């Protein structure tokens, strides 16, 4: 396969380096010397996949185990898919170019709902039946994890088991159980190894097996009852890394051949966020906040730079500037690496936590872009979503940024947020002009003639599971498009660049974000009609999606536009993320009255439900007790 690939196929495809698999720091194990083989599948192209920190972590932690192996497989681009199908070749892993059907376990990461069609396409390219009911003992076990796994139901027909929460420890535990189970296959009389394996996995904290949960619906289409079968736990608790400072971190990441979207050393300074933004799923499902010590991070930075040759360190987390030692760590890293011209970057910044002094330190080596996320254009709406950012915060931060030498600032907003009016939409434009005018004022006082650029990036609100807005509806497609166009008429200055996402894509994202397992038939039919790479504008086939819904007589508006009743059973109600439904409802009620909830790291406990259970589990583990789901 390798010779055929290099001599006949790669010369015919765009970016052949996507498929070579022998990059620096890639790991190539002897298949004869390991007991279990897993392929990590990312349902998007190489450049996107290789930017994913989760891939780096799991690739490293699995391959550190002597008897386990992990290789990679990414969604092939159209030209490569055509070559594979014309030659009747199966989709293969990068490291060994073996067909993915030869592996014991296939693991998909679920980062974005609109990548689901690529999952089916990759299974089919791998000559593996897409539906789990059609896969017998001869096929690999198909598992999945990632943020979208917190509502696993739209993929329930296709995935054997879902891993929920932090996977560094959970995946190894799951693979060890699978490895032991496969030893039983030597017993030719044992015909139900897979079912017995799934029964065992279902009792591991953080594992959801959809086959053991039956969904009953009312005549109106609502969920009437979720029934657990085979003695499976009725509620599945996510897995949490307790000791984050000592958790595995990859200091020898693969150096991609093709420039990745985020091509740098990524240091995960913290995990979790308690800012309590009501639209943010990650801020709810990854609680509590856990930090790494500056000493650990400095050691990881040194090892990573030595093993990669990168010239930039990115300090990543859901809110990096909230890391308690951010200024100390930044100055330590700059002091050590400034002479080597190694820069420091931070992801999207909270306007209220922006430090001009910190920004000046960061730009000593190289000036990285600045992105602020006010999310909404008026204070009223920022209170609704609990953003905790004031107009004064925004003005102070952007003024400080311009004074520190920045000429370009990106502002990130959402439209369609609950209770939003056209006045709120106009507030986005007003704020953009205010930022522009501050920039002009500062540059004039400095005598600078450098042009100012303000980028306004706007996405459409999607109600997400396990958030206070999971009861809310999404704005209609027509209303979202009206808001997009209205904002476009207001942003006329050539120094303001206006970007927005397709409302049709956001509509389908909402459908699958809060959908149930009945959507599996729609997903399969849409894929059969040619839908794939839906997150790519040039390949998004909205009409074919509508055809699939119409032919199956399933109304997508039922999922996206319907406001849920307080006591309604959600498709994801069997998943326990730690934050209670009672707390989420109270936050939803506070949103409608524009009430604020403060960050519980600095204010009294808000009663979300995570910390008491977290502390009890930590104490039990410390005493040697096993904590079951």
């Amino acid at each position: 396969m390798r010779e055929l690939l290099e001599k006949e196929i790669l010369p015919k495809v765009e970016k052949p380096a996507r498929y070579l698999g022998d990059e620096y720091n890639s790991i190539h194990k002897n298949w004869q010397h390991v007991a279990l083989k897993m392929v990590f599948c990312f349902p998007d192209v190489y450049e996107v996949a290789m930017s994913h920190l989760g891939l780096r972590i799991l690739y490293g932690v699995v391959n550190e185990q002597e008897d386990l192996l992990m290789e990679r497989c990414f969604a092939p681009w159209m030209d490569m898919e055509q070559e594979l199908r014309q030659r009747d070749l199966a989709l293969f892993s990068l490291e060994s170019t073996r067909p993915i059907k030869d592996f014991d376990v296939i693991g998909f990461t679920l980062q974005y709902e609109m990548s689901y069609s690529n999952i089916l396409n990759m299974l089919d390219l791998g000559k593996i039946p897409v539906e789990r009911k059609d896969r017998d003992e001869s096929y690999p076990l198909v598992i999945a994890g990632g943020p979208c796994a917190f509502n696993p139901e739209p993929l329930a027909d296709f995935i054997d088991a879902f891993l929920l929460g932090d996977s560094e420890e959970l995946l190894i535990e799951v693979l060890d159980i699978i490895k032991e189970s496969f030893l039983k296959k030597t017993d030719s009389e044992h015909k139900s190894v897979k079912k017995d394996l799934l029964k065992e996995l279902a009792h591991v904290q953080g594992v959801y097996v959809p086959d053991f949960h039956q969904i009953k619906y009312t005549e109106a289409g609502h969920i009437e009852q979720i029934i657990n079968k085979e003695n499976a736990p009725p509620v599945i608790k996510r897995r949490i890394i307790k000791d984050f400072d000592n958790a595995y971190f990859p200091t020898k990441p693969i150096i991609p051949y093709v420039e990745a979207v985020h091509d740098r050393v990524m240091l995960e300074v913290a995990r979790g966020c308690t800012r309590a933004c009501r639209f943010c799923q990650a801020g709810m499902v990854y609680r509590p906040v856990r930090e790494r010590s500056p000493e650990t991070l400095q050691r990881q930075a040194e090892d990573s730079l030595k093993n990669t040759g990168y010239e930039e360190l990115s300090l990543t987390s859901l809110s990096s500037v909230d890391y308690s030692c951010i200024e100390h760590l930044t100055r330590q890293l700059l002091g050590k690496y400034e002479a080597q011209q190694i820069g420091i970057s931070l992801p999207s910044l909270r306007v209220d936590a922006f430090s001009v002094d910190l920004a000046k330190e960061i730009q000593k080596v190289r000036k990285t872009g600045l992105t602020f996320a006010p999310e909404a254009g008026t204070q009223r709406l920022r209170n609704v979503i609990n953003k905790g950012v004031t107009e004064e915060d925004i003005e102070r931060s952007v003024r400080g940024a311009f004074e520190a030498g920045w000429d370009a600032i990106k502002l990130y907003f959402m439209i369609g947020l609950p209770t939003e009016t056209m006045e709120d939409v106009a507030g986005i434009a007003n704020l953009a002009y205010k930022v522009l005018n501050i920039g002009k004022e500062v540059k004039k006082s400095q005598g600078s003639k450098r042009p100012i650029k303000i980028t306004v990036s706007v996405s459409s609100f999607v109600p997400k599971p396990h958030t206070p807005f999971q009861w809310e509806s999404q704005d209609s497609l027509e209303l979202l498009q009206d808001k997009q166009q209205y904002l476009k008429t207001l942003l006329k200055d050539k120094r303001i660049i206006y970007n927005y996402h397709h409302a049709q894509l956001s509509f389908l994202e909402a459908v699958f974000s809060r959908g149930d397992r009945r959507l599996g038939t729609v997903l399969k039919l849409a894929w059969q009609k040619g839908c794939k790479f839906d997150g790519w504008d040039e390949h998004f086939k909205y009409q074919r999606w509508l055809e699939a819904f119409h032919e199956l007589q399933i109304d997508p508006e039922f999922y996206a536009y319907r406001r849920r009743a307080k006591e309604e059973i959600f498709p994801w109600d069997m998943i326990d993320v730690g934050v209670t439904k009672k707390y989420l409802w109270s936050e939803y009620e506070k949103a409608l009255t524009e009430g604020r909830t403060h960050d519980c790291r600095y204010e009294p406990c808000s009663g979300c439900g995570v910390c008491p259970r977290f502390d009890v589990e930590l104490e039990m583990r410390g005493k040697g007790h096993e904590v079951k789901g």
Side-chain angles (χ1 to χ4, degrees):
M1 176 64 181
R2 172 67 70 174
E3 185 177 355
L4 175 65
L5 178 71
E6 294 182 356
K7 289 186 176 180
E8 297 187 27
I9 299 177
L10 293 187
K12 297 181 179 180
V13 303
E14 177 187 1
K15 298 184 180 179
R18 287 169 167 164
Y19 312 102
L20 290 174
D22 57 355
E23 310 97 316
Y24 186 68
N25 287 338
S26 60
I27 298 171
H28 300 256
K29 286 191 170 184
N30 188 321
W31 271 51
Q32 307 307 315
H33 296 166
V34 295
L36 191 80
K37 297 96 175 172
M38 175 179 175
V39 59
F40 182 103
C41 290
F42 197 107
D44 212 320
V45 292
Y46 179 95
E47 299 93 306
V48 176
M50 289 301 295
S51 301
H52 180 46
L53 181 58
L55 164 60
R56 299 184 185 187
I57 292 172
L58 297 181
Y59 185 81
V61 74
V62 171
N63 282 317
E64 269 200 351
Q65 315 302 309
E66 189 175 335
D67 57 349
L68 301 178
L69 167 154
M70 178 183 280
E71 298 186 2
R72 297 163 294 149
C73 179
F74 308 140
W77 197 241
M78 306 298 174
D79 49 4
M80 175 58 87
E81 177 178 343
Q82 182 178 353
E83 290 293 325
L84 293 177
R85 292 198 185 276
Q86 286 180 348
R87 299 169 185 268
D88 195 30
L89 296 173
L91 183 63
F92 54 88
S93 70
L94 297 188
E95 281 78 1
S96 66
T97 62
R98 292 175 184 262
I100 63 173
K101 65 180 179 180
D102 289 356
F103 288 78
D104 301 308
V105 180
I106 295 175
F108 284 96
T109 182
L110 310 178
Q111 297 296 313
Y112 178 42
E113 290 86 355
M114 299 316 297
S115 69
Y116 289 176
S117 56
N118 276 9
I119 293 174
L120 273 59
N121 200 51
M122 291 176 73
L123 288 172
D124 184 65
L125 279 169
K127 299 184 182 296
I128 298 168
V130 298
E131 293 193 65
R132 56 181 170 81
K133 66 179 177 59
D134 298 324
R135 297 194 293 263
D136 61 20
E137 304 281 339
S138 66
Y139 290 103
L141 195 74
V142 180
I143 63 176
C148 293
F150 287 109
N151 178 18
E153 289 301 277
L155 289 173
D157 291 345
F158 315 105
I159 305 297
D160 293 310
F162 294 86
L163 276 58
L164 306 169
D166 300 331
S167 291
E168 291 97 322
E169 296 171 357
L170 174 58
L171 180 59
I172 299 300
E173 183 177 344
V174 165
L175 293 181
D176 282 341
I177 292 172
I178 296 171
K179 178 182 64 179
E180 293 302 317
S181 173
F182 282 1
L183 296 176
K184 300 174 184 176
K185 284 188 176 181
T186 56
D187 178 7
S188 59
E189 300 300 317
H190 197 74
K191 300 299 184 182
S192 59
V193 172
K194 183 175 181 180
K195 186 167 185 179
D196 289 347
L197 168 61
L198 290 173
K199 285 181 181 179
E200 186 172 359
L201 290 177
H203 288 274
V204 175
Q205 181 179 336
V207 178
Y208 170 62
V209 179
D211 193 35
F212 300 149
H213 289 77
Q214 178 185 348
I215 315 299
K216 291 183 64 176
Y217 300 94
T218 67
E219 289 187 7
H222 302 168
I223 294 177
E224 181 179 357
Q225 189 179 8
I226 300 175
I227 304 169
N228 58 305
K229 305 185 297 181
E230 301 288 350
N231 200 32
V235 175
I236 296 87
K237 292 179 63 178
R238 61 167 181 149
R239 197 65 165 264
I240 309 173
I241 291 289
K242 307 295 182 181
D243 185 0
F244 189 60
D245 195 45
N246 290 310
Y248 175 83
F249 184 80
T251 56
K252 292 185 69 174
I254 298 171
I255 311 301
Y257 277 141
V258 181
E259 185 176 0
V261 176
H262 302 295
D263 204 11
R264 59 183 75 101
V265 169
M266 289 183 279
L267 293 180
E268 190 180 14
V269 299
R271 191 172 294 179
C273 177
T274 48
R275 287 284 188 164
C277 297
R278 293 176 179 130
F279 57 85
C280 181
Q281 184 187 63
M284 297 295 167
V285 302
Y286 291 116
R287 295 182 178 203
V289 174
R290 291 145 289 158
E291 295 188 344
R292 283 194 167 102
S293 68
E295 294 75 23
T296 296
L297 291 165
Q298 289 177 53
R299 185 174 63 252
Q300 291 174 350
E302 181 178 0
D303 292 343
S304 298
L305 291 170
K306 179 178 64 177
N307 292 326
T308 63
Y310 279 128
E311 297 180 342
E312 183 177 339
L313 288 165
S314 178
L315 308 182
T316 69
S317 81
L318 290 175
S319 183
S320 296
V321 289
D322 286 334
Y323 172 59
S324 60
C325 301
I326 186 66
E327 296 207 18
H328 168 74
L329 174 65
T330 302
R331 290 191 172 93
Q332 289 287 320
L333 292 173
L334 284 170
K336 186 172 184 178
Y337 298 114
E338 185 177 350
Q340 301 174 42
Q341 290 295 293
I342 293 173
I344 309 294
S345 65
L346 294 172
S348 173
L349 299 169
R350 283 190 62 91
V351 179
D352 56 330
F354 178 73
S355 166
V356 175
D357 291 338
L358 178 61
K360 287 179 178 177
E361 291 287 330
I362 289 174
Q363 69 165 338
K364 281 183 178 179
V365 176
R366 69 174 61 91
K367 189 180 296 182
T368 56
L370 276 185
T371 301
F372 294 118
E375 309 291 358
T378 63
Q379 191 60 49
R380 184 199 70 81
L381 194 52
R382 286 193 291 273
N383 289 343
V384 168
I385 64 176
N386 202 47
K387 185 61 183 176
V389 170
T390 66
E391 201 95 344
E392 292 73 23
D393 291 328
I394 298 169
E395 292 180 22
R396 174 187 54 79
S397 295
V398 298
R399 183 177 296 277
F402 286 125
E403 290 174 347
W406 269 271
D407 305 307
I409 289 178
K410 184 175 181 180
L411 301 173
Y412 179 81
F413 298 93
M414 281 187 283
I415 58 170
L417 289 162
T419 78
E420 183 182 66
T421 65
M422 284 301 186
E423 184 178 343
D424 296 310
V425 176
I428 295 175
N430 295 336
L431 193 53
Y433 280 112
K434 183 171 289 188
V435 171
L436 176 63
N437 290 332
I438 290 173
K440 288 160 57 179
E441 176 190 328
V442 170
K443 295 305 174 185
K444 182 178 179 180
S445 67
Q446 294 175 336
S448 172
K449 295 184 179 180
R450 290 177 60 87
I452 294 171
K453 183 174 75 171
I454 309 299
T455 301
V456 174
S457 183
V458 178
S459 66
S460 299
F461 166 70
V462 174
K464 291 289 185 178
H466 308 289
T467 70
F469 290 151
Q470 63 183 346
W471 286 274
E472 262 293 342
S473 60
Q474 187 181 50
D475 274 357
S476 71
L477 186 60
E478 294 74 21
L479 182 54
L480 287 175
Q481 291 171 333
D482 285 347
K483 289 179 177 180
Q484 289 173 341
Q485 293 307 309
Y486 175 56
L487 188 52
K488 187 175 183 178
T489 66
L490 299 177
L491 295 172
K492 291 297 187 180
D493 195 295
K494 63 181 181 181
R495 289 164 293 190
I496 299 177
I497 299 170
Y498 172 44
N499 299 321
Y500 57 92
H501 298 294
H502 286 299
Q504 295 170 335
L505 198 64
S506 299
F507 168 63
L508 285 181
E509 183 184 344
V511 171
F512 280 92
S513 173
R514 58 207 322 228
D516 53 46
R517 61 178 62 182
R518 289 174 294 188
L519 291 179
T521 58
V522 179
L523 175 58
K524 184 178 179 181
L525 182 56
W527 163 70
Q528 290 171 332
K529 288 176 174 289
C531 292
K532 56 192 171 189
F533 283 106
D534 295 296
W536 295 69
D537 291 348
E538 64 268 37
H539 295 292
F540 180 47
K541 302 178 179 68
Y542 181 61
Q543 289 305 316
R544 295 189 189 180
W545 277 102
L546 294 186
E547 290 171 10
F549 280 107
H550 178 72
E551 289 177 26
L552 294 167
Q553 297 184 329
I554 293 177
D555 181 9
E557 296 184 6
F558 174 82
Y559 298 100
Y561 295 162
R562 187 172 56 83
R563 183 174 282 110
R564 280 24 174 200
K566 179 182 179 181
E567 302 301 330
E568 179 165 341
I569 299 174
F570 292 121
W572 52 88
D573 269 356
M574 78 290 287
I575 308 298
D576 179 3
V577 299
V579 176
T580 67
K581 204 171 181 181
K582 178 181 178 182
Y583 167 79
L584 294 175
W585 178 260
S586 70
E587 282 295 298
Y588 179 47
E589 291 185 311
K590 286 177 74 173
L592 299 180
T593 60
E594 303 169 28
R596 287 290 319 283
T597 297
H598 296 284
D599 189 338
C600 61
R601 296 181 76 186
Y602 313 107
E603 300 286 342
C605 174
S606 56
C608 74
V610 167
C611 290
R613 295 155 73 182
F614 178 85
D615 293 338
V616 167
E617 288 187 18
L618 187 58
E619 182 181 356
M620 290 178 67
R621 291 184 191 277
K623 292 179 179 178
H625 297 294
E626 184 179 3
V627 180
K628 290 287 188 181

